[in-house]
Amino acid sequence: MAAALAAPPRFLTSSSSYSFLPPLFFPPTRVRLSSPAKSATLRWRLSPSAAEAAAAASAVTEADPESDVDKVKFDWFAQWYPVAPLVDLDKRRPHAKTVMGLDLVVWWDRAEGRWQVFDDRCPHRLAPLSEGRVDPWGRLQCVYHGWCFDGAGNCKYIPQAPIDGPPVNTYSRACASVYPSFEQNKILWFWPNTNPQYKNIAERERPPYIEELDDPSYTSIAGMRDFPFGYEVLIENLMDPSHVPYAHRGLMRVPKSLKARPNSDREGGEPLDIKMETSSITGFTARRNFGFNKFIAPCVFYTSSPIVSGNGSASSSDVQKDSSLKTHQMSRRFLIIFMCIPVGPGRSRLIYTFPRNFAVWVNQIIPRWFFHVGQNLILDSDLYLLHIEERKFAKAAATSWAKLCFLPTKADAMVVAFRNWLRKYSNGQVPWGTTATQQLPPTPPREQLMDRYWSHVVQCSSCQNALKFLKALELSLQIVAFASVGIVAAIKQSTLSTISTTIVVSMAVLFFVTSKWLSHFIYKNFYYHGYDHAFR
Ligand code: FES
């Protein structure tokens, strides 16, 4: 799915060779994943020790022995988590989000000029603050009984408290719980711990910084989608490049030496040479035939094709042989960044973005929703099977993942590495917050399972606007169609020639048919697309 998701839309291709796409090759040393702060903001080490590399390489396709469990555990509640792209947050209203099993309310604090992330629970009687409003003074107001909170969580107003009575709003129990939050790379991040020791955590530690996302010479479009399967399944799916063709629909350039075998299957699977390079509690790196990957625990999975060295020469013999690689193409960079968010058991969220430093103009003229339609189709293609796959794992919970699955090829190396990491540092599972149980939710009807409206559209400002516009257009077409027929019927036959009548009626029919087509388009792209592999 990873490569397919990142592939630019088909309309951008001038031919199957996709002329302006870069070969996606750039050097690992140029991956600028670093923090702007010099403090210990990025714990990722780009250069592995020899011992680390050797240890990682030995675990290419085999799961570590089950006894290989580290005493040092990954602290899931002492990490930064992406919440949402800023562009999709409406400052006029609070937003409900769930991350790590914690219900959050995200709202724009006008006084501080920043987004705040609170526990989505009013201290009065636990009503969800996300159902409230931002009041005229810029405070978050619970709409159940009207309590108001400032950006620090202080209760500023209790309508029921007498003016001459005790100042009950100043009591600590009247305060809302505030999570540390931070805006970086046009994404809102939060730290899932309200312990006072983390209040200023952003001064000591920052989320992984991706320089390209703030680089004006790059363009990128972010998207977000909720899924009815868990974080583990989502991240595995994105780490598995083998279930999509490298040259997905001809959109990605493939070195000639890596061309598909004549008997390749319809899904385009190919042998992949994935080598693990580093592995530690903070994540791992891997190199594949013509790609480079990083997992920065717990959320960021970063993939690129780092074949070209710093001086512009190819570092892979496969690529060196590919005469189609031009120097000017090498300066083009294209990155695939996935942020996989644990929402709750059986629920996850993906934020994706693909910065590139070429064809920047495309994103300036094509609306964001247009790209999302294509990305959603790709995401839908695996959705149902991943949902079912997770339930099969759950049914066999007594058996370890390594025993359940047979992964004999290197194509699964990163999937194995992720499961190894999860078992070694987190006992094989995500420790959810107190509000979530480990039980998977029941499977809803397929139409609900693959719903696009609640899983994406309501969270995406661009798709919301597009939906409003297209619905208005559909209605307008119907009004014009019916009005035309009505006018023809109302006008006396003698005043309208046969030709004029035929033209008007034909136009009315055309408008009506177009409105019906539009209705189908809207439903398929904004509500539900019944993806069926058998007929694709
Ligand atoms: S529950 Fe929020 S004000 Fe009463």
Side-chain angles (χ1 to χ4, degrees), residues 88-169:
D88 288 324
L89 293 173
D90 185 342
K91 290 180 178 175
R92 297 169 302 172
R93 58 160 309 149
H95 302 266
K97 301 283 177 192
T98 302
V99 179
M100 280 302 294
L102 303 170
D103 293 325
L104 314 173
V105 55
V106 176
W107 65 285
W108 176 251
D109 179 1
R110 209 167 63 212
E112 293 292 323
R114 53 165 296 190
W115 290 96
Q116 301 287 2
V117 180
F118 284 12
D119 184 11
D120 193 11
R121 203 164 59 151
C122 177
H124 179 212
R125 278 163 54 187
L126 313 191
L129 292 168
S130 56
E131 289 298 311
R133 65 172 71 90
V134 179
D135 76 3
W137 295 273
R139 306 171 299 193
L140 178 63
Q141 182 174 40
C142 175
V143 289
Y144 197 9
H145 306 98
W147 290 27
C148 295
F149 306 91
D150 68 10
N154 301 314
C155 182
K156 304 306 283 185
Y157 179 55
I158 296 180
Q160 297 77 15
I163 293 175
D164 54 355
V168 287
N169 66 302

Side-chain angles (χ1 to χ4, degrees), residues 15 63 98 115 122 166 173 189-190 258 272 278 280 358 409 436 445 456 471-472 477 494 522:
S15 69
T98 302
W115 290 96
C122 177
R173 289 192 62 191
W189 299 74
F190 102 109
L258 300 176
L272 295 174
T278 67
S280 73
F358 60 96
T409 72
H456 172 72
K471 276 186 167 176
L477 287 168
S494 55
I522 289 170

Side-chain angles (χ1 to χ4, degrees), residues 14 22 133 165 288 364 387 406 426 448 484:
S14 57
R133 65 172 71 90
R288 58 188 163 106
Q364 287 161 357
H387 175 84
F406 177 50
S426 187
Q448 201 177 319
S484 304

